[in-house]
Amino acid sequence: MLNVGQKLLLSRFLTRMGDQAWDFAVPVTVAILFPDQLSLVAAIFLSTKAGIVLFQPKVASFIDRWSRWRTAVAGVTVQLLSVILIAWSMQLLVRQPEMASAGTELSAFSVFLLVVVTACSITSTLGSGVMDIAVGQDWLPLVIDKPQLSVVNSRMKRIDLLTEVFAPVIAGILLSLELNSILLSGFMLVAFWNVCSFIPELILLRSVFISSAELKTQSVLVSKERTGLVFAGILSGWREFFAHPVALSMVAYSCLWFSVLSPHGVLLTSFLKGSWKVSEPMLGIFRAAGAVFGLTATFLFPLIRRRIGLTRATALFIQCQAVAVVLALVFFFAGSLNGAAFLLMVLFSRIGLYGFSIGEGEIRQLNLADGMRGKISGVATALNSVATLFIFALGSFLPSHEQFFVLVIASVCAVVIGSVLFQLWTRRAATGMEATQPEQ
């Protein structure tokens, strides 16, 4: 019989496997259908990120006003309908006459179908974000004892890393399948996988909800925002975010998203392949190694947290990341002979990143009150997307490999700034806040 923590972990595994596979399958399938129009993939990606920035704070605020079970059902339903609509649109798109010959101008109906795919990608990501915030930030602090919270958070992050590695591999295998008379058969199998995963996910969450009296108690946020304009609610969310005592800690985490120093990052991968001529197998090994180093942090953080407390452990990990990326910068400018050292420092920086991510998440869990977790966490998610958009925008203005050093410098500066901001937060945090008290 599974306990509450195990049910939440299994639910996380199911939703993450589906999300990671789907996030991989959609752009790859669009690229397959339109091999000479990579801008379509970029447009879907950027539109999705822009949608998160604009609407995630407003959408996540429903977590604070609806019953917890109603929020979970809504989040899963939005994802389910989005997957079905995207799969249906792709099937219609591949059957259009102009798809049979390359270079043919798209019909108005094909453009409409691509708009539907983009819109549903946005809603699917918003639904996934609502579930991440609802379960990770709202449910966990209520159903898991505080001494075990760090352990469960580390296991959640471990699941995220494992699914990030294995889900795209499985999805890639499925995408390569071509069944007789079924167009996009591999893509449809990934869609079917997603649809099937939503049912056990809801069953597990329902079981947790029924067994927990705390989850059934909902502090309803009464606000004029319920009947106000959408963008007024969005602005309200941003104002409340920056006014919150824990905001500086979340801003510090967002700084870490303004970075190209990621083993699975598109920009770094492009540079390594185009400028340093790193082979595809080595790129795959480098990406897998990044996940392994990240997994290391999920084992180290609970141990260090027990010894020196939450805030000091979290600060230690972001300091380690800052040191690692500064050393990476040194080796980067030392020349291609030190390329292996540069990549090794990038890998070591993942330990600091994921350790800090676990600690910052727990600080948020302990210090965001009922009725505020959804809105504040939604803004934090949007801020992370803003940082990602900015680093891609900077990359678009510096397209040549010879200019990549500017992105590396900017990334290192962002991590160092994040480390400084977190140190400022630890000094300014009120002495009564749980996050500032070492664990006994």
Side-chain angles (χ1 to χ4, degrees):
M1 190 68 178
L2 299 176
N3 60 35
V4 169
Q6 290 169 335
K7 289 176 182 177
L8 289 176
L9 289 171
L10 181 55
S11 171
R12 178 78 162 204
F13 174 78
L14 290 172
T15 187
R16 279 300 189 194
M17 283 292 288
D19 287 347
Q20 294 284 0
W22 192 243
D23 290 345
F24 176 83
V26 172
V28 168
T29 303
V30 173
I32 291 172
L33 294 178
F34 303 95
D36 299 324
Q37 301 182 45
L38 295 179
S39 58
L40 287 175
V41 179
I44 292 175
F45 173 83
L46 290 176
S47 297
T48 301
K49 289 296 180 182
I52 296 173
V53 173
L54 289 174
F55 301 115
Q56 189 75 78
K58 178 66 176 180
V59 172
S61 69
F62 288 107
I63 295 171
D64 304 321
R65 298 199 298 268
W66 288 0
S67 72
R68 291 184 169 93
W69 177 241
R70 183 184 177 190
T71 301
V73 171
V76 171
T77 302
V78 166
Q79 293 179 81
L80 173 62
L81 293 177
S82 298
V83 169
I84 293 173
L85 282 173
I86 290 175
W88 173 75
S89 298
M90 288 291 200
Q91 279 292 320
L92 291 178
L93 184 62
V94 77
R95 287 177 166 82
Q96 297 308 300
E98 66 268 22
M99 298 301 296
S101 57
T104 305
E105 186 176 349
L106 294 178
S107 66
F109 185 63
S110 294
V111 173
F112 168 74
L113 291 174
L114 286 172
V115 171
V116 171
V117 170
T118 303
C120 289
S121 295
I122 294 172
T123 55
S124 176
T125 304
L126 289 173
S128 177
V130 165
M131 293 304 296
D132 282 348
I133 296 169
V135 177
Q137 297 298 322
D138 191 32
W139 290 37
L140 272 182
L142 295 176
V143 300
I144 302 297
D145 294 334
K146 288 183 180 179
Q148 291 298 312
L149 195 55
S150 180
V151 174
V152 176
N153 284 330
S154 297
R155 290 173 180 170
M156 287 278 190
K157 187 63 67 175
R158 205 171 300 155
I159 287 172
D160 292 348
L161 286 163
L162 289 172
T163 55
E164 183 181 314
V165 174
F166 293 109
V169 173
I170 298 173
I173 294 172
L174 292 177
L175 289 175
S176 67
L177 297 178
E178 290 293 340
L179 303 180
N180 292 333
S181 72
I182 302 179
L183 297 174
L184 297 181
S185 52
F187 179 77
M188 299 306 292
L189 286 174
V190 178
F192 181 72
W193 168 12
N194 254 264
V195 170
C196 291
S197 70
F198 292 133
I199 300 173
E201 179 188 356
L202 268 183
I203 292 174
L204 288 166
L205 292 178
R206 181 64 178 172
S207 176
V208 172
F209 180 79
I210 292 175
S211 64
S212 173
E214 292 84 357
L215 291 179
K216 297 174 185 177
T217 303
Q218 182 76 9
S219 299
V220 179
L221 179 65
V222 179
S223 171
K224 294 180 181 179
E225 181 187 322
R226 297 188 66 175
T227 56
L229 297 174
V230 171
F231 286 98
I234 293 171
L235 293 175
S236 171
W238 283 93
R239 285 195 298 267
E240 291 183 37
F241 172 84
F242 286 108
H244 198 280
V246 83
L248 201 58
S249 171
M250 292 184 280
V251 172
Y253 181 54
S254 295
C255 288
L256 309 186
W257 288 69
F258 186 83
S259 176
V260 296
L261 301 178
S262 168
H264 60 268
V266 175
L267 296 177
L268 179 59
T269 300
S270 174
F271 171 77
L272 293 177
K273 179 63 181 174
S275 183
W276 287 6
K277 309 302 180 185
V278 178
S279 65
E280 285 83 357
M282 288 304 299
L283 289 173
I285 292 172
F286 180 54
R287 177 168 180 160
V292 172
F293 276 75
L295 283 170
T296 302
T298 68
F299 292 99
L300 288 177
F301 186 84
L303 300 176
I304 297 175
R305 188 230 191 277
R306 281 197 292 269
R307 287 182 174 272
I308 64 176
L310 174 58
T311 303
R312 291 175 61 191
T314 307
L316 176 63
F317 274 90
I318 194 172
Q319 289 165 0
C320 288
Q321 184 187 4
V323 170
V325 296
V326 168
L327 289 175
L329 179 64
V330 172
F331 288 123
F332 182 84
F333 280 105
S336 58
L337 293 178
N338 293 281
F342 165 74
L343 297 180
L344 185 61
M345 287 300 102
V346 171
L347 292 175
F348 271 111
S349 74
R350 308 308 282 176
I351 298 177
L353 170 64
Y354 283 103
F356 178 75
S357 174
I358 296 168
E360 188 274 334
E362 186 174 349
I363 288 171
R364 199 184 308 179
Q365 290 169 334
L366 294 175
N367 292 291
L368 294 181
D370 250 4
M372 293 296 294
R373 292 192 184 109
K375 180 183 290 187
I376 298 298
S377 295
V379 175
T381 302
L383 196 59
N384 297 342
S385 295
V386 170
T388 303
L389 282 174
F390 279 167
I391 195 65
F392 272 91
L394 182 60
S396 66
F397 284 110
L398 304 168
S400 70
H401 292 143
E402 289 75 16
Q403 298 169 315
F404 188 75
F405 74 93
V406 178
L407 298 177
V408 176
I409 294 173
S411 301
V412 173
C413 290
V415 173
V416 172
I417 290 172
S419 178
V420 171
L421 290 178
F422 188 76
Q423 298 306 316
L424 290 175
W425 177 80
T426 60
R427 294 181 182 181
R428 295 179 182 179
T431 56
M433 292 175 67
E434 293 184 61
T436 63
Q437 298 175 357
E439 187 176 280
Q440 301 297 321

